[in-house]
Amino acid sequence: MNLGHTLNINNNVAFNNLSLLFNGSTQYGVLDAAAGDIDTDKGTYSIWIKFNGASSNNDNFIGASVGVGTNNQIKMFYLTATEVFRFLYKAGGTGKYVDISTDAETTQNWTHLAMTWDTDADELKAYVNGSQVGSTVGSLGTWSGTIDTITVGKNPIADNTYFIGYMDEISIFDEVVNISNLYNSGNIINLTGMTGLVGYYKLDIEGRDVLDYSGKGSTGSLVNTPTYSTETP
């Protein structure tokens, strides 16, 4: 459903009238300013994505990839060869993940993805279009170090894996959020003002930095000029 130019009365910015299109080879976003507010022990990521053609990469990096080197990472990506979404929580070298088969690259429909992690409850969960997919995963590792990299649409530790397609409505929380607060029958939910929100990137203002509507002021930047598009969920 395209909500067009519905007005977000909370900040007087047009809501959900644009998305960002990445070319799959050189373009990505950087959200490093949000690093200090992300809780590596408990949190939630949420994003809308739509593929735009087949990728030549082995992996398509979607959402925000958070990391400290190779042993501590939280990220969502698409495995091209096996047509699988992977939701990964890797801490102290211990990698735990949920894999789910998908035809999203073929159908090229808008898809909502979310993941939650909670080391106290020892749970990693993944969601596609509002429903939990796969099993809840436990035996999570212990995070080491301080987050130093957050990228969108690119592997944070390599220069040969990018996302080809559209992204919209990227949000990061420092608590586990119920999926019903993130997804509503295919409709975009305005998350402004939600408890625990530490990064909220609507991707709705062309020609500007990637503005953060979480209230934290963690403005992001774009590399190699991804294209703003009126193609939205």
Side-chain angles (χ1 to χ4, degrees):
M1 180 177 180
N2 189 332
L3 301 184
H5 294 277
T6 301
L7 186 67
N8 171 4
I9 62 176
N10 292 316
N11 51 37
N12 294 321
V13 175
F15 178 55
N16 194 41
N17 63 329
L18 296 173
S19 65
L20 267 181
L21 174 61
F22 296 82
N23 64 8
S25 59
T26 61
Q27 298 172 339
Y28 62 100
V30 178
L31 307 179
D32 290 355
D37 293 310
I38 295 176
D39 189 339
T40 55
D41 292 329
K42 181 183 294 184
T44 301
Y45 280 163
S46 171
I47 188 172
W48 286 85
I49 67 104
K50 178 182 178 181
F51 288 98
N52 186 44
S55 173
S56 59
N57 299 323
N58 292 326
D59 304 331
N60 254 293
F61 276 78
I62 52 187
S65 298
V66 173
V68 183
T70 59
N71 288 325
N72 299 275
Q73 299 178 7
I74 307 171
K75 56 192 178 186
M76 296 185 287
F77 55 104
Y78 173 74
L79 299 171
T80 305
T82 54
E83 298 182 331
V84 163
F85 284 131
R86 175 166 292 180
F87 304 79
L88 172 72
Y89 181 89
K90 185 177 184 180
T94 299
K96 299 295 179 177
Y97 57 86
V98 177
D99 279 356
I100 183 68
S101 297
T102 178
D103 62 357
E105 186 179 36
T106 302
T107 61
Q108 296 186 20
N109 293 324
W110 279 101
T111 303
H112 182 261
L113 304 174
M115 64 182 289
T116 65
W117 62 94
D118 186 341
T119 58
D120 288 337
D122 196 27
E123 292 182 339
L124 169 67
K125 296 181 180 180
Y127 300 85
V128 176
N129 291 333
S131 298
Q132 185 176 355
V133 293
S135 299
T136 300
V137 175
S139 300
L140 305 182
T142 301
W143 192 276
S144 177
T146 302
I147 295 171
D148 59 8
T149 302
I150 307 176
T151 57
V152 176
K154 175 187 179 294
N155 187 343
I157 58 174
D159 292 326
N160 60 348
T161 47
Y162 295 81
F163 175 70
I164 181 170
Y166 303 88
M167 292 188 189
D168 204 4
E169 294 290 308
I170 301 170
S171 58
I172 309 171
F173 296 80
D174 65 0
E175 62 182 52
V176 173
V177 178
N178 190 292
I179 190 63
S180 64
N181 293 322
L182 303 174
Y183 180 88
N184 178 23
S185 301
N187 298 319
I188 295 287
I189 298 176
N190 188 355
L191 306 178
T192 305
M194 280 187 60
T195 301
L197 191 62
V198 297
Y200 185 22
Y201 305 94
K202 299 181 183 182
L203 309 180
D204 272 349
I205 301 182
E206 189 171 3
R208 302 263 317 259
D209 291 331
V210 182
L211 299 183
D212 172 26
Y213 292 96
S214 71
K216 298 290 186 178
S218 299
T219 302
S221 60
L222 299 174
V223 179
N224 294 322
T225 319
T227 306
Y228 281 91
S229 170
T230 56
E231 177 70 31
T232 60

